[in-house]
């Protein structure tokens, strides 16, 4: 595991997951002002974002993962702002406050890369995956007036599209470029306001990102056919000949 310093990073970096879990439980206890379907989308969205964030911070020290974790914790504050105050709300706010402090501890930030990884995916490919990943939360939190099947379809399919693209599943690029943006934009009007605006904005954003050439390169890295050339034994270094147990004429020793 990556050395993050004296603080046990695996616990401190789990801050987004703790906050997400606390508010998912709070919504299960009392989803108001949301209905059960919207609460489901919010809970799935928060937990998915938090899980990806924690894995990215602990395993790779990714800057994108740290920022996603901060955004996830901020998302729980958005839920807190509209949900009625009760004991679960108090507990959730306390966990969010503690998580907001934990994610900035030196034991966590010390292990976050200061510069992008030289071999990492292009920035637009990362943004595309995150935009799709946050769709369940964004659709759910904007559906305070109630949800229909359209909300569930857009939100949950966005999560599947993120998985298909980021895991390089066959057809994942097509889904990210055409299928999901078409669903998100096409169902924006039936969803109504304000969810329809959010859905259309996400669809347009993902389409713009997905058609960038770097996004295709990240999904289908260029491949070069290698070639080999024979080297006369007399030109090969002696240590290589000794390792192969042959002499400078190419004969076995």
């Amino acid at each position: 595991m990556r050395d993050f310093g004296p603080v046990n990073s695996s616990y401190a970096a789990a801050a987004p997951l703790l906050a997400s879990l606390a508010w998912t439980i709070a919504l299960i206890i009392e989803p108001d002002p949301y209905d059960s379907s919207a609460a489901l989308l919010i809970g799935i969205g928060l937990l998915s974002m938090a899980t990806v964030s924690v894995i990215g911070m602990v395993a790779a020290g990714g800057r994108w993962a740290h920022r996603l974790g901060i955004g996830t914790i901020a998302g729980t504050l958005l839920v807190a702002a509209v949900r009625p105050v009760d004991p679960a709300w108090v507990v959730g706010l306390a966990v969010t406050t503690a998580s907001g402090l934990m994610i900035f501890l030196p034991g966590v930030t010390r292990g976050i890369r200061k510069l992008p990884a030289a071999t990492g995916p292009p920035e637009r490919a990362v943004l595309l995956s995150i935009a799709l990943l946050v769709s369940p939360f964004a659709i759910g939190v904007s559906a305070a007036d109630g949800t229909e099947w359209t909300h569930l379809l857009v939100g949950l399919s966005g999560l599947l599209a993120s998985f298909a693209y980021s895991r390089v599943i066959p057809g994942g690029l097509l889904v990210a470029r055409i299928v999901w943006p078409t669903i998100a934009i096409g169902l924006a009007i039936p969803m109504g306001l304000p969810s329809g605006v959010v859905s259309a904005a996400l669809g347009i954003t993902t389409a713009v990102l997905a058609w960038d050439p770097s996004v295709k390169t990240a999904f289908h890295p260029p491949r070069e056919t290698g070639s080999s050339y024979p080297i006369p034994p007399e030109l090969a270094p002696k240590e290589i000949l000794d390792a192969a147990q042959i002499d400078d004429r190419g004969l076995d020793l």
Side-chain angles (χ1 to χ4, degrees):
M1 180 180 293
R2 194 179 183 85
D3 181 12
F4 286 85
V7 178
N8 190 326
S9 63
S10 61
Y11 291 111
L17 192 56
L18 295 176
S20 298
L21 185 60
W23 283 101
T24 298
I25 294 174
L27 288 173
I28 292 175
I29 295 174
E30 176 52 71
D32 190 58
Y34 302 103
D35 60 19
S36 57
S37 296
L40 174 66
L41 287 174
I42 294 172
I44 290 176
L46 286 175
L47 292 174
S48 299
M49 288 163 17
T51 301
V52 172
S53 170
V54 172
I55 293 174
M57 284 191 286
V58 174
R63 298 189 306 164
W64 62 268
H66 191 247
R67 293 169 182 172
L68 178 59
I70 296 172
T72 302
I73 295 173
T76 64
L77 290 176
L78 184 59
V79 177
V82 298
R83 188 186 177 281
V85 177
D86 60 9
W89 184 94
V90 174
V91 172
L93 185 61
V95 174
T96 291
T97 302
S99 299
L101 296 175
M102 289 169 61
I103 201 169
F104 289 107
L105 287 175
V108 175
T109 58
R110 189 179 299 117
I112 302 301
R113 296 179 184 274
K114 302 302 183 291
L115 297 173
T119 58
E123 180 179 357
R124 286 179 178 268
V126 175
L127 290 175
L128 171 62
S129 298
I130 293 177
L132 292 168
L133 181 68
V134 304
S135 57
F137 174 78
I139 296 297
V141 80
S142 63
D145 293 334
T147 56
E148 301 290 342
W149 64 270
T150 51
H151 296 76
L152 292 173
L153 177 59
V154 173
L156 297 179
S157 62
L159 192 61
L160 293 176
S162 178
F163 180 80
Y165 175 77
S166 61
R167 302 306 300 170
V168 197
I169 294 175
L173 182 61
L174 176 65
V175 170
R177 281 183 164 182
I178 299 177
V179 177
W180 194 79
T182 300
I183 293 174
I185 297 172
L187 295 181
I189 293 179
M191 290 172 66
L193 297 174
S195 300
V197 175
V198 173
S199 181
L202 284 171
I204 294 171
T205 300
T206 54
V208 171
L209 290 172
W211 282 98
D212 187 87
S214 64
V215 171
K216 181 180 180 180
T217 302
F219 192 82
H220 293 300
R223 298 178 180 179
E224 296 183 1
T225 302
S227 59
S228 60
Y229 300 91
I231 300 176
E234 60 270 19
L235 298 180
K238 187 177 184 302
E239 57 271 19
I240 295 179
L241 295 176
D242 292 340
Q245 296 183 345
I246 59 177
D247 59 18
D248 58 3
R249 294 172 299 173
L251 302 176
D252 294 336
L253 296 177

